[in-house]
């Protein structure tokens, strides 16, 4: 059995902590077993490891999330990267083509798709393991996991059985998306289950869908023609059209953590970061990623979230509306977590003459490095503020320490490696400051040192 862990989306309902690069599954707000904090993807990955499923799992994601996945799970995690964001059907189809043509997985192999943002206990994955036998025994096209509803939700989709079946395995008759409260009550009375987005199928079933639409089943070819895949969910394109679908009933804990209200139920503490809640605040959470203190007085059932991207103060029930208010807002992310560490934008200004200046605070984890790279539209000034390491500049290597300042002109190759956790302030200057203005020459520090061999200068320059 193979697993596809779906990690996509932008999670704008959890703004300002989430953005196009740091989606909700990467927010380190959940309490882990060691008293610290972890993200949703770290929690699910840990559960997969406990159930010996991680080694059979590939992660389906998009280009903007590769760095942060490597940062949180390690660089050895196997990923399928979409050429562009579309929807769950194209993402799953591309992953299926990868399994079939690159990994040479047999077409009779069972594949299970699991979303990254479900909050469950580890027992849930025991049921996931059972999907393989259930699919084989019933000869169904698809096997799902259906969660026993605990209230008449208007946000969830429902799996409707052929009849009100009390068995653990049910035959699926139809599906219903986001009903009214009254409709949800009726569905629950009929034995309907919440659809938690877990699908199991034999690999050949999805491959045959591609062949039916004259799409390539070879991974590289399908990736080249990715834009030809319909921009539609797997539910609509495959699940609801399937001839025979079954579901396994799950009666344990399951939450779709997609809003501040549902997430705050699982947050490790009422205050994270620099801030204080007054004693008369009930059910209120404060999450502050800024350096300044935030004081909250007399607000109950409220979320106060602050990050370099902005500040949100909202009643928890109405907080999902922030997604609609952000539709017209276009802003570069002010914080990103990368495979090598993180950066935070401190300031940006554009002058009347068209010159732009962008100031970042950059942190590199010990043992990690920025690629050896070059920019053609901007110069940079680096001021080392903490930690030690090595700087590669114009094919020479220098030791760096706090207080060192380096000027990097346009077109000059440069990179940096941290021997300890290292921080520096970067000031970019140019007429078009964009993240795409980067040409990477070498990715590993071993490659950089090999290239610069014979030109080592371990005395810092300024």
């Amino acid at each position: 059995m193979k697993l596809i862990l779906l990690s996509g989306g932008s999670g704008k309902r959890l703004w300002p902590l989430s953005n196009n690069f740091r989606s909700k599954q990467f927010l380190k707000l959940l309490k882990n077993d060691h008293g610290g904090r972890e993200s949703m993807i770290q929690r699910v990955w840990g559960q997969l490891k406990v159930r010996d499923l991680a080694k059979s799992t590939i992660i389906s994601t998009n280009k903007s999330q590769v760095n942060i996945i490597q940062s949180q799970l390690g660089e050895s995690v196997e990923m399928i990267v979409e050429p562009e964001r579309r929807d769950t059907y194209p993402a799953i189809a591309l992953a299926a083509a990868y399994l079939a043509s690159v990994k040479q997985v047999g077409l009779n192999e069972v594949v299970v798709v699991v979303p990254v943002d479900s909050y469950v206990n580890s027992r849930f994955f025991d049921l996931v393991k059972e999907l393989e036998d259930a699919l084989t025994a019933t000869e169904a096209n698809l096997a799902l996991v259906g969660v026993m509803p605990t209230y008449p939700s208007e946000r969830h989709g429902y799996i409707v059985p052929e009849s009100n079946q009390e068995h653990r395995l049910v035959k699926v008759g139809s599906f219903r998306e986001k009903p009214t409260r009254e409709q949800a009550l009726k569905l629950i009375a009929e034995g309907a289950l919440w659809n938690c987005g877990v699908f199991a199928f034999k690999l050949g079933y999805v491959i045959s869908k591609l062949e039916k639409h004259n799409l390539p089943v070879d991974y590289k070819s399908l990736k080249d023609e990715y834009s030809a895949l319909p921009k539609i969910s797997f539910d609509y394109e495959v699940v609801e059209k399937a001839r025979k679908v079954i579901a396994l009933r799950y009666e344990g804990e399951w939450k779709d953590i997609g809003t501040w209200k549902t997430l705050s139920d699982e947050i490790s503490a009422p205050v994270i970061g620099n801030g204080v809640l007054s004693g008369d605040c009930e059910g209120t959470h404060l999450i502050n990623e800024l350096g300044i203190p935030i004081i909250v007085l007399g607000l109950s059932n409220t979320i106060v979230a602050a990050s370099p991207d902005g500040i949100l103060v909202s009643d928890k029930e109405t907080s999902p509306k922030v997604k609609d208010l952000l539709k017209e807002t276009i802003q570069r992310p002010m914080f990103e977590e990368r495979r090598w560490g993180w950066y935070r934008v401190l300031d940006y200004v554009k002058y009347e003459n068209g010159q732009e200046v962008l100031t970042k605070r950059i942190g590199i984890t010990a043992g990690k490095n920025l690629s050896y790279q070059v920019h053609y539209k901007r110069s940079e000034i680096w001021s080392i503020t903490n930690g030690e390491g090595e700087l590669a500049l114009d094919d020479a290597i220098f030791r760096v320490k706090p207080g060192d300042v380096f000027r990097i002109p346009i077109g000059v190759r440069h990179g940096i490696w941290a021997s300890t956790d290292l921080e520096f302030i970067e000031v970019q200057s140019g007429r078009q400051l964009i993240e795409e203005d980067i040409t990477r020459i070498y990715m590993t520090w071993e490659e950089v040192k090999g290239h610069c061999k014979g030109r080592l200068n371990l005395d810092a320059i300024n």
Side-chain angles (χ1 to χ4, degrees), residues 179-190:
T180 64
R181 175 180 169 80
E182 291 72 22
Q183 291 169 336
L185 285 168
K186 183 179 179 182
L187 288 168
I188 293 172
E190 295 172 354

Side-chain angles (χ1 to χ4, degrees), residues 267-334:
I267 289 178
S268 57
V271 177
I272 295 177
N274 189 359
V276 177
L277 299 178
S278 64
D280 54 350
C281 292
E282 296 182 3
T284 291
H285 282 78
L286 166 61
I287 303 165
N288 184 10
E289 292 187 336
L290 303 178
I292 57 175
I294 295 177
I295 310 298
V296 181
L297 302 173
L299 296 180
S300 295
N301 300 314
T302 299
I303 180 69
V304 179
S307 83
D309 281 354
I311 299 173
L312 171 70
V313 180
S314 172
D315 174 78
K316 288 184 180 180
E317 290 288 347
T318 57
S319 63
K321 294 180 180 178
V322 69
K323 181 178 181 180
D324 298 325
L325 297 177
L326 288 171
K327 284 181 178 178
E328 305 302 322
T329 302
I330 300 176
Q331 176 185 312
R332 72 157 62 228
M334 304 295 279

Side-chain angles (χ1 to χ4, degrees), residues 123-164:
R123 190 167 60 84
F124 178 85
F125 293 98
D126 292 331
L127 189 65
V128 168
K129 285 183 173 182
E130 294 180 30
L131 289 172
E132 180 175 21
D133 290 339
L135 191 72
T136 303
T138 60
E139 298 185 348
N141 303 124
L142 293 161
L144 316 180
V145 172
V147 178
M148 287 287 290
T150 54
Y151 66 97
S153 171
E154 300 171 54
R155 291 183 54 247
H156 298 140
Y158 286 77
I159 298 169
V160 184
E162 286 185 353
S163 59
N164 196 338

Side-chain angles (χ1 to χ4, degrees), residues 112-113 115 118 120 123-124 127-128 131 134 142-150 156-161 165-172 174-175 191-200 239 245-255:
V112 183
V113 178
S118 294
V120 296
R123 190 167 60 84
F124 178 85
L127 189 65
V128 168
L131 289 172
L142 293 161
L144 316 180
V145 172
V147 178
M148 287 287 290
T150 54
H156 298 140
Y158 286 77
I159 298 169
V160 184
Q165 306 170 50
E166 298 296 330
H167 305 295
R168 192 156 173 267
L169 187 153
V170 300
K171 296 179 180 179
V172 177
S174 62
F175 299 88
L193 307 168
W194 283 340
N195 187 350
C196 64
V198 174
F199 317 112
V239 179
V245 183
I246 62 165
L248 290 182
R249 192 189 307 268
Y250 176 69
E251 300 186 31
E253 181 184 28
W254 176 84
K255 290 184 180 179

Side-chain angles (χ1 to χ4, degrees), residues 256-277:
D256 178 12
I257 300 183
T259 68
W260 279 117
K261 178 176 171 55
T262 54
L263 178 59
S264 64
D265 291 339
E266 310 303 333
I267 289 178
S268 57
V271 177
I272 295 177
N274 189 359
V276 177
L277 299 178

